[in-house]
Amino acid sequence: MNRIRFLATAAIAAVLLSACASRPTRAPAPVDREQAQRADAQRAAVSDWRLSGRVAISNGRQGGSGRLDWTQRGGRYDISLAAPVTRQSWRLSGDAASARLEGIEGGPRESGDVEDLLRASTGWDIPVRALVDWVRGVAAPVDAHGPARVAHGAGDLPTRIEQAGWEIEYRDWYEAGIGQPALPKRIEARRDEARVRLVVDGWTVVPGAASPQAQAEQAPDTLLAQTLDSLRLDDPAADMRAHVEAGDLRPVAVCGFACLAPGYGPGGAAVVRGAEMRIIDGSGDVIVGDRHHELKRQAEAYARAYNAALAAWRAAHSDAAGATPAD
């Protein structure tokens, strides 16, 4: 009996192994080059933004880590770094022509070359001017940093950029949202022994900063259709959870004669100040046809479901999220 049992078990195992062996390996989805280029262009057009996260820097001999807050306004940057263990903090500000480093021994230092300033003051090799672009997942300008090799992967998003002797890997991404393209979440840049690792906890794209001229040239229905394509219309609550995880607690607004956040606040539709809401682009007060009318109806349904889920989340997390809309 034991022998029969053993033979039966062996036969079943052989069948299962055979099935596993014959199962084809799924090849990675091919990259849509045109879509990847369009997405790269959208990220490159984002000139005004803020991010917060955690950074680790090393040069093979020494290193450090801390909280990072970076504000970019066109070509001007303002970067703050705080080390929680030593309770030290530094601030780096400047543009393409000058840089100022504060918080170091001996007082602030200034230079026309930010990389030389950091190298001389801290011993760290950090390509700040190129990181302005790399941190968004786009290659830095060729005239300043030389040619770049960009590899794309899943979702037509960059997985690696090689430029100026540096290799930048993108380990994770935030999905595209309202008025915001997909942006990196985990980045590692390295050259020789130098390493910069960044985990972005949250992005904020300044409203209107992402190619306003290009948006103005688009028909409202086309712009609205493109915006809706970037949203999870089948699951607005999933978008809400992703934005909350990134620290964005703003409701979604649809504009007409006024910009309202349907499903949010007393009465089911709240008027929110512009800086405190996420406006669905293309949903203005002018309707250009039946298609635009239907797209706007979809936008309102999405916003209502998103905001209802957000209001419920805030009510359940009032200590963490501050006052609920009902307050």
Side-chain angles (χ1 to χ4, degrees):
M1 179 65 70
N2 287 340
R3 178 175 176 77
I4 294 174
R5 226 179 254 153
F6 169 78
L7 291 174
T9 303
I12 293 172
V15 171
L16 291 175
L17 288 172
S18 174
C20 292
S22 62
R23 186 177 299 146
T25 301
R26 180 177 295 179
V31 174
D32 185 328
R33 297 298 177 187
E34 292 186 2
Q35 175 62 30
Q37 290 174 359
R38 285 194 296 268
D40 289 350
Q42 288 176 346
R43 286 190 300 278
V46 176
S47 60
D48 291 14
W49 46 266
R50 293 188 295 272
L51 70 78
S52 59
R54 293 154 283 155
V55 65
I57 305 167
S58 65
N59 61 9
R61 300 178 302 280
Q62 61 179 349
S65 62
R67 293 289 310 175
L68 177 73
D69 291 288
W70 185 333
T71 299
Q72 189 76 26
R73 295 280 185 176
R76 182 159 189 85
Y77 52 82
D78 193 323
I79 305 169
S80 297
L81 178 64
V85 176
T86 62
R87 297 187 178 180
Q88 288 182 287
S89 62
W90 301 267
R91 180 186 177 193
L92 178 67
S93 57
D95 52 28
S98 64
R100 177 182 174 88
L101 180 62
E102 303 171 63
I104 57 176
E105 186 177 353
R109 297 184 187 181
E110 297 183 358
S111 172
D113 189 311
V114 62
E115 285 81 16
D116 283 348
L117 174 62
L118 288 175
R119 197 177 298 113
S121 303
T122 68
W124 294 338
D125 186 9
I126 306 175
V128 174
R129 286 174 288 194
L131 278 172
V132 171
D133 295 292
W134 294 344
V135 77
R136 288 175 289 145
V138 296
V142 173
D143 56 350
H145 304 281
R149 296 177 58 187
V150 183
H152 293 81
D156 303 322
L157 295 170
T159 57
R160 186 177 64 260
I161 293 177
E162 296 177 12
Q163 189 174 24
W166 286 83
E167 183 176 337
I168 305 92
E169 291 189 356
Y170 300 91
R171 307 293 182 83
D172 198 4
W173 287 77
Y174 285 107
E175 293 183 358
I178 301 170
Q180 180 169 305
L183 289 167
K185 186 174 185 179
R186 299 176 67 90
I187 307 168
E188 179 174 336
R190 57 181 177 268
R191 183 176 70 179
D192 300 328
E193 293 183 334
R195 297 285 190 277
V196 180
R197 296 182 179 88
L198 175 63
V199 177
V200 180
D201 294 326
W203 281 92
T204 300
V205 173
V206 178
S211 190
Q213 181 177 356
Q215 290 187 1
E217 293 173 352
Q218 290 180 305
D221 57 335
T222 301
L223 178 57
L224 181 54
Q226 291 177 350
T227 302
L228 294 181
D229 282 344
S230 70
L231 307 177
R232 296 188 60 173
L233 299 180
D234 60 333
D235 193 358
D239 279 352
M240 183 278 298
R241 291 190 294 271
H243 286 124
V244 166
E245 183 180 350
D248 190 343
L249 301 180
R250 294 175 297 170
V252 171
V254 179
C255 293
F257 291 107
C259 291
L260 303 176
Y264 192 77
V271 179
V272 189
R273 288 181 297 181
E276 298 175 356
M277 61 186 174
R278 301 169 62 86
I279 297 173
I280 296 182
D281 292 328
S283 64
D285 58 337
V286 177
I287 304 297
V288 298
D290 292 342
R291 175 174 179 264
H292 194 195
H293 186 275
E294 172 58 24
L295 292 171
K296 190 167 181 180
R297 186 195 65 76
Q298 294 179 31
E300 290 173 349
Y302 171 88
R304 186 174 302 279
Y306 183 108
N307 293 335
L310 177 61
W313 187 95
R314 291 185 66 121
H317 300 81
S318 56
D319 291 341
T324 66
D327 294 335

